[in-house]
Structure formats: structure tokens, C-alpha cells
Amino acid sequence: MIFLNSFLIFILGACFGSFLNVCIYRLPINKQIISGRSFCPRCKKYINWFDNLPLISFLFLNGKCRKCKKVIPLRYFIVEITTGIIFLLIYLNYNDLSTIIFLSVLSLIYIIIIFIDLENFIIPDSLNFSVMAIALFKNFLPNFNTSFIHEINQSIIGGMVGYLSIWLIIYLYKVIKKIEGMGLGDAKLMAGIGLLFGWQSVPFVLFVSAILGLIFVLPSLLNKQKNMRSEIPFGPFIIAACLIYFTYGDFLYSLILV
């Protein structure tokens, strides 16, 4: 029974992943994400339902549009299988329904943010504000057994510290270098993380995200493919650091404080 349930949860996640691909493509260009049929991103022709099945259609079509034969971005498959795996991991690790739903919704938003930022170097306000809203809402959920902050005042203080930490970096960089170093989308993203975990998470998330970003960009800097002024999507590294904090934050802080 557990195998069947796990399989169904994975498929459910993959189906949500298919919808996330719609959001990732349409949100940056301000197109409706609810109405309108799916279409090929290359030839813009409508996709038949049997060519729009999560994971299966991509593999069956060998990653190509049936009509124009052009390659479908691998991102579509990656998002679907990643969402399925995340849904499965949440289901296997938590028993409380409210916690499962909350973490699943939060994961969906963060996946959209990651891929939009990777492709477009922006984080839509609608996504950041959605994270902030559910981060505040979680303070009122009973039996919510996670590492999130569960006290509204601490949550609000965390949100303020998270936002100001990035805003201050942007301001100082602009004063010193006379150019924009980061976007306010990253500041709002950190505000959401502060609302979720409290101000204690902010130094950790900032430090780890900076290290991850440096590791990512260092080969391009050494090969001179990028320079210090090249645009880099920082949102994915903030979210990766947030995930590390969510999973190992208490343990890592206990090591530091020993």
C-alpha cells in the first residue's frame, strides 16, 4: 500500500510540475497561467492532450515537438521529475496533513522562482509576496512540527532583517561602485525566508548562498566567460541555502555554539 501511495504522490507532483512549467514560461511575459491551452514554445502551435502528459510525453516524443520537430527545453522534464521527487520526500517524511500541504505549496513557489531567475534574472513580486503571505499564515497552524518560527512577532522581525540585509548590500554597492549590484527581488526573497525561519536564519542563508554562488561562477570567471559585472541569478542559491538551513540548521548551529 505504501508503494502505491508513494507512486501516486510522485505522479501528483509531476502533474503539478507540468503546471509549474506553464508558470515559468508565462509569468515573466505577463501571460495568463490559468486560461489558454498549452502550446509549443518553439512553433507556438497548440499541444494535444496526449502530448502533454507529464514525463511520459517528453520521453515518448524524444524531447521534440510532434509538429515542428524542434527540441523541447530539457527544463520541462527536469521540473516535472523534480516536483514529483519533492512531493514524494515530503509525503514520506511528514505525517501531519497541514504540514504536507504547506511544504508542498512552498516548494512549488520556490521551484518557479528558481527557474524563472535562472532563465530571466528576475523574481516576480507575485511569487515573493505569496511566500510572505503563507509564511505569516503558518504561525496560526496548529500541530505544525517543523523548524519554522511559530511566533508572529519573531517572524515579522525575521522578515524585516531578511529584507534589510539585502537592501543594505544593494545600497552600499551602489554607493561604492555606482552600479546596481543586486535586485530587490532578492531582498524580498530574503524577507520571505526571514518570515519563515526568523532573523537567526539570515546570516546563515546569506553566507551559504554567497559561497554557493561563488562556487557556481568561479569557473566562468577563471575562463573569462564572465566578469565581476556579469549578471548572475542569485535567487536559486538563496533557496538552496534556505533548504540546507531547513534540513540541517539546528545541527549546524549546535556545532558552532559548542
Side-chain angles (χ1 to χ4, degrees):
M1 189 66 178
I2 184 67
F3 177 81
L4 177 60
N5 289 342
S6 298
F7 177 74
L8 293 176
I9 290 295
F10 174 81
I11 295 300
L12 177 65
C15 291
F16 271 102
S18 181
F19 174 68
L20 296 194
N21 277 316
V22 174
C23 298
I24 292 166
Y25 179 79
R26 296 187 185 184
L27 280 176
I29 57 176
N30 296 316
K31 290 184 70 72
Q32 272 285 342
I33 61 172
I34 302 298
S35 62
R37 287 178 55 188
S38 297
F39 55 87
C40 171
R42 306 297 192 188
C43 66
K44 311 300 181 185
K45 293 182 179 178
Y46 289 128
I47 299 174
N48 296 320
W49 68 267
F50 49 81
D51 287 335
N52 207 24
L53 301 174
L55 300 176
I56 298 173
S57 294
F58 187 94
L59 295 173
F60 183 77
L61 294 169
N62 198 27
K64 296 180 181 179
C65 172
R66 182 185 296 274
K67 296 176 181 177
C68 68
K69 305 302 180 184
K70 291 183 180 179
V71 174
I72 301 170
L74 184 60
R75 181 257 292 168
Y76 284 80
F77 185 83
I78 292 174
V79 169
E80 290 173 356
I81 195 169
T82 299
T83 310
I85 292 172
I86 289 174
F87 268 45
L88 179 58
L89 290 175
I90 293 172
Y91 169 73
L92 293 176
N93 284 280
Y94 295 92
N95 297 317
D96 180 62
L97 181 60
S98 63
T99 304
I100 291 174
I101 294 174
F102 180 88
L103 292 177
S104 298
V105 172
L106 186 62
S107 299
L108 293 176
I109 299 172
Y110 276 155
I111 291 171
I112 300 173
I113 289 175
I114 287 172
F115 284 92
I116 286 182
D117 202 14
L118 285 172
E119 294 182 4
N120 301 278
F121 302 100
I122 61 170
I123 303 176
D125 282 345
S126 58
L127 299 175
N128 274 328
F129 292 149
S130 295
V131 171
M132 293 180 197
I134 64 174
L136 286 172
F137 175 72
K138 64 102 172 55
N139 292 291
F140 305 100
L141 291 176
N143 304 319
F144 197 59
N145 187 24
T146 66
S147 58
F148 296 130
I149 285 289
H150 301 285
E151 207 279 313
I152 186 67
N153 292 331
Q154 291 296 319
S155 185
I156 292 173
I157 292 172
M160 294 171 61
V161 172
Y163 182 86
L164 290 173
S165 64
I166 296 291
W167 182 88
L168 187 60
I169 293 172
I170 296 172
Y171 176 76
L172 292 176
Y173 196 85
K174 188 173 183 178
V175 168
I176 297 170
K177 294 287 188 177
K178 308 300 181 184
I179 57 174
E180 296 284 351
M182 299 174 69
L184 285 176
D186 294 322
K188 295 166 188 171
L189 181 61
M190 277 301 305
I193 290 172
L195 286 167
L196 286 168
F197 297 101
W199 68 267
Q200 299 91 336
S201 65
V202 174
F204 178 92
V205 172
L206 280 179
F207 176 76
V208 173
S209 59
I211 296 298
L212 294 175
L214 180 61
I215 293 172
F216 173 80
V217 78
L218 190 58
S220 299
L221 291 175
L222 294 175
N223 295 332
K224 300 188 184 302
Q225 295 175 330
K226 295 182 182 293
N227 56 51
M228 295 304 293
R229 293 194 175 188
S230 297
E231 197 171 15
I232 298 169
F234 196 53
F237 305 115
I238 292 177
I239 294 173
C242 170
L243 178 60
I244 294 172
Y245 184 86
F246 176 76
T247 309
Y248 302 108
D250 292 339
F251 172 73
L252 293 173
Y253 269 126
S254 67
L255 293 178
I256 296 172
L257 296 175
V258 168

mmCIF file of all heavy atoms in Angstrom, residues 90-132:
data_model
loop_
_atom_site.group_PDB
_atom_site.id
_atom_site.type_symbol
_atom_site.label_atom_id
_atom_site.label_comp_id
_atom_site.label_asym_id
_atom_site.label_seq_id
_atom_site.Cartn_x
_atom_site.Cartn_y
_atom_site.Cartn_z
ATOM 1 N N ILE A 90 8.418 14.828 0.825
ATOM 2 C CA ILE A 90 7.582 15.464 1.852
ATOM 3 C C ILE A 90 6.585 14.459 2.413
ATOM 4 O O ILE A 90 6.386 14.355 3.632
ATOM 5 C CB ILE A 90 6.851 16.687 1.271
ATOM 6 C CG1 ILE A 90 7.859 17.800 0.926
ATOM 7 C CG2 ILE A 90 5.808 17.220 2.255
ATOM 8 C CD1 ILE A 90 7.251 18.961 0.164
ATOM 9 N N TYR A 91 5.955 13.689 1.531
ATOM 10 C CA TYR A 91 4.962 12.694 1.958
ATOM 11 C C TYR A 91 5.585 11.629 2.866
ATOM 12 O O TYR A 91 4.971 11.205 3.860
ATOM 13 C CB TYR A 91 4.345 12.039 0.724
ATOM 14 C CG TYR A 91 3.506 10.818 1.015
ATOM 15 C CD1 TYR A 91 2.250 10.937 1.601
ATOM 16 C CD2 TYR A 91 3.985 9.539 0.719
ATOM 17 C CE1 TYR A 91 1.488 9.809 1.880
ATOM 18 C CE2 TYR A 91 3.229 8.414 0.990
ATOM 19 C CZ TYR A 91 1.979 8.551 1.567
ATOM 20 O OH TYR A 91 1.224 7.432 1.843
ATOM 21 N N LEU A 92 6.802 11.211 2.549
ATOM 22 C CA LEU A 92 7.447 10.145 3.313
ATOM 23 C C LEU A 92 8.000 10.624 4.647
ATOM 24 O O LEU A 92 8.217 9.813 5.560
ATOM 25 C CB LEU A 92 8.583 9.516 2.488
ATOM 26 C CG LEU A 92 8.166 8.741 1.238
ATOM 27 C CD1 LEU A 92 9.390 8.270 0.469
ATOM 28 C CD2 LEU A 92 7.272 7.559 1.593
ATOM 29 N N ASN A 93 8.230 11.927 4.789
ATOM 30 C CA ASN A 93 8.884 12.436 5.995
ATOM 31 C C ASN A 93 7.950 13.140 6.973
ATOM 32 O O ASN A 93 8.366 13.442 8.100
ATOM 33 C CB ASN A 93 10.013 13.392 5.611
ATOM 34 C CG ASN A 93 11.252 12.653 5.111
ATOM 35 O OD1 ASN A 93 12.040 12.147 5.896
ATOM 36 N ND2 ASN A 93 11.410 12.574 3.792
ATOM 37 N N TYR A 94 6.709 13.407 6.548
ATOM 38 C CA TYR A 94 5.771 14.118 7.433
ATOM 39 C C TYR A 94 4.428 13.397 7.443
ATOM 40 O O TYR A 94 3.993 12.852 6.429
ATOM 41 C CB TYR A 94 5.595 15.568 6.978
ATOM 42 C CG TYR A 94 6.872 16.382 7.105
ATOM 43 C CD1 TYR A 94 7.755 16.483 6.024
ATOM 44 C CD2 TYR A 94 7.212 17.014 8.293
ATOM 45 C CE1 TYR A 94 8.941 17.199 6.135
ATOM 46 C CE2 TYR A 94 8.381 17.748 8.412
ATOM 47 C CZ TYR A 94 9.249 17.827 7.328
ATOM 48 O OH TYR A 94 10.422 18.531 7.450
ATOM 49 N N ASN A 95 3.801 13.419 8.617
ATOM 50 C CA ASN A 95 2.524 12.741 8.783
ATOM 51 C C ASN A 95 1.343 13.701 8.845
ATOM 52 O O ASN A 95 0.227 13.343 8.484
ATOM 53 C CB ASN A 95 2.545 11.888 10.064
ATOM 54 C CG ASN A 95 3.586 10.783 9.996
ATOM 55 O OD1 ASN A 95 3.711 10.123 8.966
ATOM 56 N ND2 ASN A 95 4.324 10.583 11.083
ATOM 57 N N ASP A 96 1.592 14.919 9.337
ATOM 58 C CA ASP A 96 0.510 15.887 9.500
ATOM 59 C C ASP A 96 0.112 16.475 8.151
ATOM 60 O O ASP A 96 0.954 16.964 7.399
ATOM 61 C CB ASP A 96 0.953 17.005 10.443
ATOM 62 C CG ASP A 96 -0.127 18.049 10.650
ATOM 63 O OD1 ASP A 96 -1.193 17.694 11.162
ATOM 64 O OD2 ASP A 96 0.100 19.202 10.258
ATOM 65 N N LEU A 97 -1.185 16.437 7.844
ATOM 66 C CA LEU A 97 -1.671 16.877 6.535
ATOM 67 C C LEU A 97 -1.389 18.350 6.292
ATOM 68 O O LEU A 97 -0.977 18.738 5.186
ATOM 69 C CB LEU A 97 -3.167 16.602 6.410
ATOM 70 C CG LEU A 97 -3.815 16.985 5.071
ATOM 71 C CD1 LEU A 97 -3.157 16.227 3.918
ATOM 72 C CD2 LEU A 97 -5.319 16.732 5.105
ATOM 73 N N SER A 98 -1.591 19.198 7.311
ATOM 74 C CA SER A 98 -1.364 20.632 7.124
ATOM 75 C C SER A 98 0.098 20.926 6.816
ATOM 76 O O SER A 98 0.409 21.801 5.996
ATOM 77 C CB SER A 98 -1.810 21.410 8.365
ATOM 78 O OG SER A 98 -1.043 21.043 9.507
ATOM 79 N N THR A 99 1.003 20.187 7.442
ATOM 80 C CA THR A 99 2.433 20.362 7.181
ATOM 81 C C THR A 99 2.780 19.922 5.763
ATOM 82 O O THR A 99 3.544 20.604 5.056
ATOM 83 C CB THR A 99 3.273 19.559 8.193
ATOM 84 O OG1 THR A 99 2.928 19.945 9.516
ATOM 85 C CG2 THR A 99 4.757 19.798 7.969
ATOM 86 N N ILE A 100 2.225 18.811 5.340
ATOM 87 C CA ILE A 100 2.481 18.300 3.986
ATOM 88 C C ILE A 100 2.001 19.298 2.934
ATOM 89 O O ILE A 100 2.717 19.605 1.981
ATOM 90 C CB ILE A 100 1.793 16.928 3.782
ATOM 91 C CG1 ILE A 100 2.478 15.865 4.641
ATOM 92 C CG2 ILE A 100 1.814 16.523 2.312
ATOM 93 C CD1 ILE A 100 1.786 14.516 4.625
ATOM 94 N N ILE A 101 0.794 19.816 3.124
ATOM 95 C CA ILE A 101 0.245 20.779 2.161
ATOM 96 C C ILE A 101 1.077 22.055 2.159
ATOM 97 O O ILE A 101 1.413 22.593 1.091
ATOM 98 C CB ILE A 101 -1.226 21.087 2.489
ATOM 99 C CG1 ILE A 101 -2.085 19.840 2.272
ATOM 100 C CG2 ILE A 101 -1.743 22.246 1.637
ATOM 101 C CD1 ILE A 101 -3.538 20.005 2.702
ATOM 102 N N PHE A 102 1.424 22.546 3.346
ATOM 103 C CA PHE A 102 2.199 23.787 3.438
ATOM 104 C C PHE A 102 3.551 23.642 2.734
ATOM 105 O O PHE A 102 3.932 24.495 1.918
ATOM 106 C CB PHE A 102 2.424 24.165 4.899
ATOM 107 C CG PHE A 102 3.207 25.439 5.074
ATOM 108 C CD1 PHE A 102 2.562 26.662 5.118
ATOM 109 C CD2 PHE A 102 4.594 25.413 5.170
ATOM 110 C CE1 PHE A 102 3.288 27.844 5.258
ATOM 111 C CE2 PHE A 102 5.319 26.573 5.315
ATOM 112 C CZ PHE A 102 4.662 27.793 5.359
ATOM 113 N N LEU A 103 4.285 22.590 3.048
ATOM 114 C CA LEU A 103 5.606 22.388 2.444
ATOM 115 C C LEU A 103 5.505 22.162 0.940
ATOM 116 O O LEU A 103 6.375 22.605 0.180
ATOM 117 C CB LEU A 103 6.307 21.205 3.106
ATOM 118 C CG LEU A 103 6.724 21.396 4.567
ATOM 119 C CD1 LEU A 103 7.333 20.114 5.118
ATOM 120 C CD2 LEU A 103 7.713 22.546 4.693
ATOM 121 N N SER A 104 4.449 21.502 0.503
ATOM 122 C CA SER A 104 4.260 21.262 -0.931
ATOM 123 C C SER A 104 4.012 22.569 -1.673
ATOM 124 O O SER A 104 4.614 22.827 -2.718
ATOM 125 C CB SER A 104 3.098 20.292 -1.157
ATOM 126 O OG SER A 104 3.357 19.035 -0.573
ATOM 127 N N VAL A 105 3.140 23.412 -1.129
ATOM 128 C CA VAL A 105 2.854 24.709 -1.757
ATOM 129 C C VAL A 105 4.105 25.580 -1.778
ATOM 130 O O VAL A 105 4.424 26.206 -2.791
ATOM 131 C CB VAL A 105 1.709 25.429 -1.015
ATOM 132 C CG1 VAL A 105 1.545 26.850 -1.529
ATOM 133 C CG2 VAL A 105 0.402 24.658 -1.171
ATOM 134 N N LEU A 106 4.823 25.620 -0.660
ATOM 135 C CA LEU A 106 6.057 26.414 -0.585
ATOM 136 C C LEU A 106 7.073 25.917 -1.603
ATOM 137 O O LEU A 106 7.737 26.722 -2.277
ATOM 138 C CB LEU A 106 6.634 26.327 0.825
ATOM 139 C CG LEU A 106 7.852 27.213 1.124
ATOM 140 C CD1 LEU A 106 7.502 28.693 0.988
ATOM 141 C CD2 LEU A 106 8.389 26.924 2.529
ATOM 142 N N SER A 107 7.181 24.613 -1.743
ATOM 143 C CA SER A 107 8.112 24.033 -2.714
ATOM 144 C C SER A 107 7.747 24.424 -4.141
ATOM 145 O O SER A 107 8.625 24.735 -4.956
ATOM 146 C CB SER A 107 8.134 22.510 -2.583
ATOM 147 O OG SER A 107 8.568 22.110 -1.312
ATOM 148 N N LEU A 108 6.462 24.409 -4.449
ATOM 149 C CA LEU A 108 6.007 24.782 -5.791
ATOM 150 C C LEU A 108 6.437 26.214 -6.130
ATOM 151 O O LEU A 108 6.956 26.481 -7.224
ATOM 152 C CB LEU A 108 4.487 24.651 -5.892
ATOM 153 C CG LEU A 108 3.905 23.236 -5.806
ATOM 154 C CD1 LEU A 108 2.380 23.291 -5.821
ATOM 155 C CD2 LEU A 108 4.411 22.366 -6.941
ATOM 156 N N ILE A 109 6.237 27.125 -5.185
ATOM 157 C CA ILE A 109 6.589 28.527 -5.426
ATOM 158 C C ILE A 109 8.090 28.672 -5.603
ATOM 159 O O ILE A 109 8.559 29.375 -6.515
ATOM 160 C CB ILE A 109 6.094 29.422 -4.277
ATOM 161 C CG1 ILE A 109 4.577 29.342 -4.150
ATOM 162 C CG2 ILE A 109 6.519 30.875 -4.516
ATOM 163 C CD1 ILE A 109 4.020 30.054 -2.926
ATOM 164 N N TYR A 110 8.862 27.995 -4.762
ATOM 165 C CA TYR A 110 10.317 28.113 -4.841
ATOM 166 C C TYR A 110 10.870 27.512 -6.138
ATOM 167 O O TYR A 110 11.836 28.019 -6.705
ATOM 168 C CB TYR A 110 10.968 27.456 -3.629
ATOM 169 C CG TYR A 110 11.042 28.360 -2.417
ATOM 170 C CD1 TYR A 110 11.100 27.843 -1.125
ATOM 171 C CD2 TYR A 110 11.067 29.739 -2.548
ATOM 172 C CE1 TYR A 110 11.171 28.672 -0.015
ATOM 173 C CE2 TYR A 110 11.133 30.577 -1.444
ATOM 174 C CZ TYR A 110 11.195 30.032 -0.189
ATOM 175 O OH TYR A 110 11.273 30.874 0.901
ATOM 176 N N ILE A 111 10.264 26.441 -6.625
ATOM 177 C CA ILE A 111 10.707 25.866 -7.897
ATOM 178 C C ILE A 111 10.481 26.856 -9.042
ATOM 179 O O ILE A 111 11.346 27.040 -9.908
ATOM 180 C CB ILE A 111 9.979 24.534 -8.180
ATOM 181 C CG1 ILE A 111 10.440 23.462 -7.201
ATOM 182 C CG2 ILE A 111 10.246 24.064 -9.622
ATOM 183 C CD1 ILE A 111 9.622 22.179 -7.259
ATOM 184 N N ILE A 112 9.327 27.502 -9.044
ATOM 185 C CA ILE A 112 9.046 28.515 -10.069
ATOM 186 C C ILE A 112 10.074 29.636 -9.990
ATOM 187 O O ILE A 112 10.620 30.083 -11.015
ATOM 188 C CB ILE A 112 7.628 29.088 -9.912
ATOM 189 C CG1 ILE A 112 6.576 27.995 -10.044
ATOM 190 C CG2 ILE A 112 7.372 30.167 -10.970
ATOM 191 C CD1 ILE A 112 5.159 28.466 -9.731
ATOM 192 N N ILE A 113 10.350 30.118 -8.776
ATOM 193 C CA ILE A 113 11.314 31.204 -8.600
ATOM 194 C C ILE A 113 12.680 30.805 -9.135
ATOM 195 O O ILE A 113 13.346 31.581 -9.848
ATOM 196 C CB ILE A 113 11.416 31.599 -7.105
ATOM 197 C CG1 ILE A 113 10.142 32.315 -6.653
ATOM 198 C CG2 ILE A 113 12.633 32.499 -6.866
ATOM 199 C CD1 ILE A 113 10.113 32.629 -5.167
ATOM 200 N N ILE A 114 13.130 29.601 -8.798
ATOM 201 C CA ILE A 114 14.457 29.142 -9.226
ATOM 202 C C ILE A 114 14.596 29.197 -10.741
ATOM 203 O O ILE A 114 15.563 29.769 -11.281
ATOM 204 C CB ILE A 114 14.723 27.713 -8.720
ATOM 205 C CG1 ILE A 114 14.971 27.722 -7.211
ATOM 206 C CG2 ILE A 114 15.918 27.093 -9.442
ATOM 207 C CD1 ILE A 114 15.044 26.343 -6.582
ATOM 208 N N PHE A 115 13.637 28.626 -11.450
ATOM 209 C CA PHE A 115 13.792 28.508 -12.902
ATOM 210 C C PHE A 115 13.511 29.823 -13.627
ATOM 211 O O PHE A 115 14.122 30.088 -14.668
ATOM 212 C CB PHE A 115 12.916 27.372 -13.433
ATOM 213 C CG PHE A 115 13.489 26.019 -13.140
ATOM 214 C CD1 PHE A 115 13.130 25.324 -11.990
ATOM 215 C CD2 PHE A 115 14.421 25.454 -13.989
ATOM 216 C CE1 PHE A 115 13.677 24.092 -11.703
ATOM 217 C CE2 PHE A 115 14.980 24.208 -13.719
ATOM 218 C CZ PHE A 115 14.609 23.525 -12.568
ATOM 219 N N ILE A 116 12.625 30.647 -13.091
ATOM 220 C CA ILE A 116 12.426 31.968 -13.697
ATOM 221 C C ILE A 116 13.685 32.806 -13.535
ATOM 222 O O ILE A 116 14.126 33.489 -14.472
ATOM 223 C CB ILE A 116 11.205 32.682 -13.084
ATOM 224 C CG1 ILE A 116 9.909 32.050 -13.587
ATOM 225 C CG2 ILE A 116 11.226 34.180 -13.435
ATOM 226 C CD1 ILE A 116 8.651 32.720 -13.067
ATOM 227 N N ASP A 117 14.283 32.758 -12.350
ATOM 228 C CA ASP A 117 15.502 33.538 -12.117
ATOM 229 C C ASP A 117 16.654 33.025 -12.973
ATOM 230 O O ASP A 117 17.443 33.813 -13.510
ATOM 231 C CB ASP A 117 15.876 33.480 -10.632
ATOM 232 C CG ASP A 117 16.769 34.637 -10.219
ATOM 233 O OD1 ASP A 117 16.879 35.617 -10.987
ATOM 234 O OD2 ASP A 117 17.364 34.588 -9.124
ATOM 235 N N LEU A 118 16.764 31.718 -13.120
ATOM 236 C CA LEU A 118 17.822 31.148 -13.953
ATOM 237 C C LEU A 118 17.693 31.577 -15.411
ATOM 238 O O LEU A 118 18.693 31.841 -16.091
ATOM 239 C CB LEU A 118 17.804 29.623 -13.866
ATOM 240 C CG LEU A 118 18.357 28.986 -12.588
ATOM 241 C CD1 LEU A 118 18.090 27.485 -12.586
ATOM 242 C CD2 LEU A 118 19.854 29.256 -12.468
ATOM 243 N N GLU A 119 16.463 31.665 -15.895
ATOM 244 C CA GLU A 119 16.243 31.959 -17.306
ATOM 245 C C GLU A 119 16.095 33.444 -17.605
ATOM 246 O O GLU A 119 16.452 33.903 -18.696
ATOM 247 C CB GLU A 119 14.995 31.217 -17.800
ATOM 248 C CG GLU A 119 15.144 29.703 -17.802
ATOM 249 C CD GLU A 119 13.914 28.991 -18.351
ATOM 250 O OE1 GLU A 119 12.972 29.680 -18.807
ATOM 251 O OE2 GLU A 119 13.902 27.751 -18.325
ATOM 252 N N ASN A 120 15.570 34.212 -16.636
ATOM 253 C CA ASN A 120 15.227 35.617 -16.918
ATOM 254 C C ASN A 120 15.888 36.631 -15.983
ATOM 255 O O ASN A 120 15.748 37.828 -16.179
ATOM 256 C CB ASN A 120 13.708 35.803 -16.836
ATOM 257 C CG ASN A 120 12.962 34.912 -17.803
ATOM 258 O OD1 ASN A 120 12.831 35.220 -18.979
ATOM 259 N ND2 ASN A 120 12.454 33.780 -17.316
ATOM 260 N N PHE A 121 16.580 36.147 -14.952
ATOM 261 C CA PHE A 121 17.265 37.018 -13.986
ATOM 262 C C PHE A 121 16.285 37.962 -13.279
ATOM 263 O O PHE A 121 16.636 39.095 -12.961
ATOM 264 C CB PHE A 121 18.370 37.836 -14.669
ATOM 265 C CG PHE A 121 19.414 36.992 -15.345
ATOM 266 C CD1 PHE A 121 19.365 36.784 -16.718
ATOM 267 C CD2 PHE A 121 20.429 36.394 -14.619
ATOM 268 C CE1 PHE A 121 20.325 36.000 -17.346
ATOM 269 C CE2 PHE A 121 21.391 35.604 -15.238
ATOM 270 C CZ PHE A 121 21.338 35.403 -16.606
ATOM 271 N N ILE A 122 15.084 37.469 -13.034
ATOM 272 C CA ILE A 122 14.094 38.246 -12.287
ATOM 273 C C ILE A 122 13.347 37.305 -11.345
ATOM 274 O O ILE A 122 13.316 36.083 -11.556
ATOM 275 C CB ILE A 122 13.068 38.961 -13.202
ATOM 276 C CG1 ILE A 122 12.284 37.929 -14.032
ATOM 277 C CG2 ILE A 122 13.729 40.002 -14.089
ATOM 278 C CD1 ILE A 122 11.090 38.515 -14.773
ATOM 279 N N ILE A 123 12.758 37.885 -10.306
ATOM 280 C CA ILE A 123 11.866 37.145 -9.425
ATOM 281 C C ILE A 123 10.571 37.945 -9.333
ATOM 282 O O ILE A 123 10.557 39.024 -8.734
ATOM 283 C CB ILE A 123 12.458 36.957 -8.017
ATOM 284 C CG1 ILE A 123 13.815 36.252 -8.091
ATOM 285 C CG2 ILE A 123 11.492 36.156 -7.131
ATOM 286 C CD1 ILE A 123 14.507 36.105 -6.744
ATOM 287 N N PRO A 124 9.484 37.481 -9.940
ATOM 288 C CA PRO A 124 8.228 38.233 -9.923
ATOM 289 C C PRO A 124 7.738 38.513 -8.509
ATOM 290 O O PRO A 124 7.812 37.647 -7.625
ATOM 291 C CB PRO A 124 7.257 37.310 -10.675
ATOM 292 C CG PRO A 124 8.137 36.476 -11.566
ATOM 293 C CD PRO A 124 9.385 36.258 -10.763
ATOM 294 N N ASP A 125 7.244 39.718 -8.294
ATOM 295 C CA ASP A 125 6.726 40.101 -6.975
ATOM 296 C C ASP A 125 5.602 39.181 -6.523
ATOM 297 O O ASP A 125 5.467 38.894 -5.321
ATOM 298 C CB ASP A 125 6.224 41.546 -7.006
ATOM 299 C CG ASP A 125 7.358 42.559 -6.940
ATOM 300 O OD1 ASP A 125 8.497 42.171 -6.582
ATOM 301 O OD2 ASP A 125 7.111 43.741 -7.254
ATOM 302 N N SER A 126 4.783 38.715 -7.461
ATOM 303 C CA SER A 126 3.653 37.863 -7.099
ATOM 304 C C SER A 126 4.120 36.603 -6.375
ATOM 305 O O SER A 126 3.445 36.114 -5.454
ATOM 306 C CB SER A 126 2.855 37.481 -8.346
ATOM 307 O OG SER A 126 3.675 36.803 -9.293
ATOM 308 N N LEU A 127 5.281 36.081 -6.756
ATOM 309 C CA LEU A 127 5.811 34.874 -6.113
ATOM 310 C C LEU A 127 6.374 35.192 -4.733
ATOM 311 O O LEU A 127 6.120 34.469 -3.764
ATOM 312 C CB LEU A 127 6.883 34.241 -6.999
ATOM 313 C CG LEU A 127 6.418 33.775 -8.381
ATOM 314 C CD1 LEU A 127 7.594 33.285 -9.209
ATOM 315 C CD2 LEU A 127 5.363 32.675 -8.257
ATOM 316 N N ASN A 128 7.152 36.264 -4.647
ATOM 317 C CA ASN A 128 7.712 36.646 -3.348
ATOM 318 C C ASN A 128 6.622 36.995 -2.349
ATOM 319 O O ASN A 128 6.682 36.609 -1.171
ATOM 320 C CB ASN A 128 8.657 37.841 -3.511
ATOM 321 C CG ASN A 128 10.068 37.414 -3.880
ATOM 322 O OD1 ASN A 128 10.531 36.352 -3.477
ATOM 323 N ND2 ASN A 128 10.757 38.239 -4.641
ATOM 324 N N PHE A 129 5.606 37.717 -2.798
ATOM 325 C CA PHE A 129 4.516 38.085 -1.895
ATOM 326 C C PHE A 129 3.706 36.861 -1.476
ATOM 327 O O PHE A 129 3.164 36.811 -0.362
ATOM 328 C CB PHE A 129 3.611 39.133 -2.547
ATOM 329 C CG PHE A 129 4.272 40.479 -2.726
ATOM 330 C CD1 PHE A 129 3.926 41.308 -3.781
ATOM 331 C CD2 PHE A 129 5.247 40.911 -1.839
ATOM 332 C CE1 PHE A 129 4.535 42.541 -3.952
ATOM 333 C CE2 PHE A 129 5.865 42.146 -1.998
ATOM 334 C CZ PHE A 129 5.513 42.960 -3.056
ATOM 335 N N SER A 130 3.618 35.879 -2.355
ATOM 336 C CA SER A 130 2.923 34.634 -1.996
ATOM 337 C C SER A 130 3.668 33.909 -0.882
ATOM 338 O O SER A 130 3.051 33.381 0.058
ATOM 339 C CB SER A 130 2.812 33.727 -3.228
ATOM 340 O OG SER A 130 2.004 34.314 -4.223
ATOM 341 N N VAL A 131 5.006 33.861 -0.976
ATOM 342 C CA VAL A 131 5.809 33.242 0.077
ATOM 343 C C VAL A 131 5.610 33.989 1.392
ATOM 344 O O VAL A 131 5.431 33.379 2.455
ATOM 345 C CB VAL A 131 7.303 33.221 -0.308
ATOM 346 C CG1 VAL A 131 8.152 32.768 0.885
ATOM 347 C CG2 VAL A 131 7.545 32.299 -1.491
ATOM 348 N N MET A 132 5.642 35.326 1.329
ATOM 349 C CA MET A 132 5.454 36.123 2.555
ATOM 350 C C MET A 132 4.094 35.841 3.187
ATOM 351 O O MET A 132 3.979 35.712 4.420
ATOM 352 C CB MET A 132 5.569 37.611 2.222
ATOM 353 C CG MET A 132 6.949 38.058 1.784
ATOM 354 S SD MET A 132 6.969 39.843 1.421
ATOM 355 C CE MET A 132 8.489 39.972 0.472
#
